[in-house]
Amino acid sequence: MSYEHTQVARPFQLMLALFALVAAAGAASLLPLPAGWAMVAVVVLLTLASLMTRLTVRVGEGRLEHEFGFAVWRKTIAIDRIASAEPVRNAWWYGFGIRLTPHGWLYNVWGLDAVEIRLEGGRTFRLGTDEPRELARAIREAAGLPAGVAARD
């Protein structure tokens, strides 16, 4: 089985773009900086917005791979190391980005849905997704694992 999905956090991109413009306008009017520096700040913030608001997950060829942006951050796990994959719902205070939570590392760009992946040895991490059931099913099928249990917190 092969699975690939990219989740793009459009609302978050818009928020960051507006923040960048407001921050640059404020800095240009309050600080004695050349206008060029304000534009540099806008470009940097918009670049960060485009990189950290996209999460692509791939399952296939014996591995689970996820990456932020345009492969700026990439992590690969061998499918045969995966013991389980279950849809879960994150607490809102876990936030977005790459975070350490009580359930292990969370990689998330938007929303509360995720798939919790437990590796052999007990280590867990979560991949945020807007397709939790499909992703969990793809991982389980690729790893030869039985169907999972109902979603939990």
Side-chain angles (χ1 to χ4, degrees):
M1 159 142 230
S2 181
Y3 173 93
E4 181 172 341
H5 177 66
T6 299
Q7 181 181 12
V8 180
R10 298 268 185 237
F12 197 42
Q13 285 179 332
L14 181 59
M15 256 182 358
L16 287 173
L18 289 174
F19 177 74
L21 293 174
V22 168
S29 65
L30 296 175
L31 300 173
L33 296 173
W37 284 107
M39 290 310 297
V40 168
V42 168
V43 169
V44 168
L45 287 171
L46 292 177
T47 300
L48 288 174
S50 70
L51 296 178
M52 296 308 290
T53 58
R54 300 173 55 91
L55 177 61
T56 300
V57 178
R58 292 181 195 88
V59 179
E61 299 178 15
R63 65 181 186 254
L64 165 65
E65 180 178 274
H66 63 278
E67 65 187 31
F68 274 96
F70 302 97
V72 170
W73 165 274
R74 179 181 291 166
K75 187 162 178 118
T76 302
I77 302 287
I79 284 290
D80 60 4
R81 292 187 55 212
I82 297 175
S84 68
E86 302 301 329
V88 293
R89 190 128 171 110
N90 293 315
W92 65 267
W93 58 84
Y94 290 177
F96 308 114
I98 302 171
R99 306 289 177 115
L100 186 58
T101 73
H103 307 282
W105 287 99
L106 168 65
Y107 305 89
N108 190 25
V109 293
W110 191 258
L112 301 177
D113 291 321
V115 172
E116 184 172 284
I117 296 138
R118 181 172 306 280
L119 302 176
E120 292 177 346
R123 196 183 78 166
T124 62
F125 65 95
R126 290 182 174 190
L127 293 176
T129 180
D130 54 351
E131 296 184 350
R133 285 180 173 74
E134 294 87 346
L135 175 57
R137 185 179 317 115
I139 294 169
R140 286 192 303 260
E141 286 181 10
L145 300 171
V149 297
R152 62 181 172 82
D153 290 315

